[in-house]
Amino acid sequence: MRMYDIISKKRDGLELSEGEINYFVEGYTRENIPDYQASALLMAIFLRGMNKNETVKLTKAMMHSGEIVDLSAIKGIKVDKHSTGGVGDTTTLVLAPLVASCGVPIAKMSGRGLGHTGGTIDKLESIKGFKTEMSIADFVNNVNRYKIAVIGQTKDVAPADKKIYALRDVTATVDNISLIASSIMSKKLAAGSDAIVLDVKVGSGAFMKDINNAIELANEMVEIGHEMGRNTIALVTDMDQPLGFAIGNALEVKEAISTLKGEGPEDLTKLCIYLGAYMVLLGKKAKTFEEAKETIINKLKSGLAFEKFKEFIKIQGGDAEVIENTELLPKAQYVYNFIAEEDGYIEHMKADDIGNASMKLGAGRLDLKTKIDLSAGIVLKKKVGDTVEKNEVIAELHTNKQSKVSEVQDVLKKAIKISKNPAKRQKLIKAIVKSDGIKRL
């Protein structure tokens, strides 16, 4: 078998066999195939596409390129959740303890943030003493005993994906549904959970800008999950504006705590209720979605979800006092107000620009070597559709980089549009994708 023949076959729009896909993935991971040939194949895939069978085979090959995490020792149905990334996406911090409080085992491997997309591990490390490194044995024991554990992603899970994605990133071959779907699902499947709930973001702050493409990606991933024997459901959700009010690590932890106390932003709370209900349903702790939703709401209202969060932080070495007193979280030296220059209504908030503004303040990283400021970020005071008066505060800028404030103010002036006419609020949940069909909302 030769890479030349595999490249020319896909260049001509033909279907690659399982053997050919395995040859490419294994050979490139082991550095037996040079970058220039791998790049040529990725470009051929980008231009010619892959059918469902090829996408499943590519996912399977990347999944098996490294360690398959064995969670069979964990009792019950393990349900994982994955978001395709966005601005102010605090859902994992809320969902993990919320769903665990319903009795569903949450054994989650999470990553660090890159660019304006925050990482769950960075956020949790805002809490003094919190540890994200532990042995798989301790990880399993914690989930069995407490129903929850979160650790950093191991380098041994789907190494082919890391290597292939790095090449896609520099060869303009990222934006392909099959390559995106196989990248995400190979990691999720290798992480060992029995069922998966996906949150596919769409809008200015998301990877997918178009609703039809987002639904196509969601459907592709749901189909891959079911082909690989995992119950999978996807929600397509809005990311034209940031989720919730907080953007930045410690700021999002504070907002997650408020949400678990039943005092969080309306959009973040609603999304967590819906995602959580589907996780409870797939975890077979409810017979219907409505029953699962009611269970989730009860855990929020009763305070049991908040108590589970405190327990979770404590068992992973975090200072539980921080959870009771969020003033102990890292705080920026400077807080500046971004104010409205006119009366009107918030018509639009360009989420990606607001996310990049937060990164400039220190809350994000340009690459994995960049040190982030856990205290930095933005707290919105208004969302799309809200009324605003001249000189009223639209957002707070938290930073230790005083020199960046003027630049960020200029970015926000362009990213946040005020109109004289009432603005329409976007639907938060736009579609639900299951193996038996797609429901647009």
Side-chain angles (χ1 to χ4, degrees), residues 34-269:
D35 283 350
Y36 62 83
Q37 285 189 310
S39 299
L41 179 59
L42 289 170
M43 186 58 76
I45 291 170
F46 181 86
L47 296 173
R48 288 294 197 167
M50 297 184 101
N51 63 28
K52 177 183 171 182
N53 288 333
E54 288 175 296
T55 306
V56 170
K57 289 166 187 171
L58 177 60
T59 305
K60 189 176 180 181
M62 292 199 297
M63 170 188 170
H64 287 284
S65 65
E67 176 189 3
I68 305 295
V69 180
D70 183 7
L71 301 180
S72 60
I74 296 175
K75 301 165 189 172
I77 299 171
K78 287 78 69 183
V79 184
D80 199 0
K81 167 260 174 190
H82 176 78
S83 167
T84 56
V87 181
D89 188 4
T90 316
T91 50
T92 295
L93 296 181
V94 179
L95 274 174
L98 177 56
V99 176
S101 72
C102 298
V104 178
I106 302 297
K108 186 149 186 65
M109 292 184 179
S110 293
R112 297 191 180 276
L114 189 59
H116 65 64
T117 301
T120 298
I121 296 300
D122 296 315
K123 295 168 190 176
L124 286 169
E125 287 181 350
S126 299
I127 301 168
K128 183 181 176 182
F130 190 89
K131 300 291 189 298
T132 57
E133 293 184 9
M134 68 178 78
S135 68
I136 292 297
D138 288 341
F139 181 60
V140 168
N141 287 337
N142 277 1
V143 179
N144 273 331
R145 186 171 179 182
Y146 304 105
K147 296 298 181 187
I148 183 171
V150 176
I151 59 172
Q153 289 172 337
T154 168
K155 294 178 181 178
D156 296 327
V157 170
D161 173 63
K162 296 179 182 70
K163 194 168 170 57
I164 291 170
Y165 186 86
L167 190 61
R168 287 167 57 206
D169 195 36
V170 295
T171 55
T173 54
V174 169
D175 299 341
N176 174 275
I177 296 291
S178 291
L179 293 175
I180 297 168
S182 58
S183 172
I184 292 170
M185 292 302 289
S186 64
K187 295 191 291 286
K188 289 291 104 183
L189 293 165
S193 285
D194 304 311
I196 304 167
V197 174
L198 300 163
D199 180 9
V200 180
K201 303 292 188 185
V202 62
S204 67
F207 190 74
M208 308 304 292
K209 310 297 183 187
D210 175 77
I211 182 64
N212 292 323
N213 288 339
I215 289 174
E216 183 184 352
L217 173 61
N219 191 53
E220 190 96 338
M221 291 193 290
V222 167
E223 288 187 345
I224 290 171
H226 281 269
E227 284 289 328
M228 300 293 287
R230 307 293 203 284
N231 282 333
T232 307
I233 292 174
L235 274 65
V236 179
T237 67
D238 180 64
M239 190 42 74
D240 256 339
Q241 64 175 333
L243 183 66
F245 295 113
I247 306 154
N249 298 283
L251 298 172
E252 289 186 46
V253 170
K254 189 174 182 178
E255 184 166 85
I257 291 168
S258 295
T259 305
L260 287 164
K261 288 180 173 180
E263 302 164 359
E266 182 182 350
D267 55 351
L268 176 60
T269 301

Side-chain angles (χ1 to χ4, degrees), residues 349-365:
M349 294 184 125
K350 202 163 184 292
D352 53 349
D353 286 347
I354 296 171
N356 285 327
S358 179
M359 183 171 66
K360 290 177 187 293
L361 294 173
R365 51 168 69 88

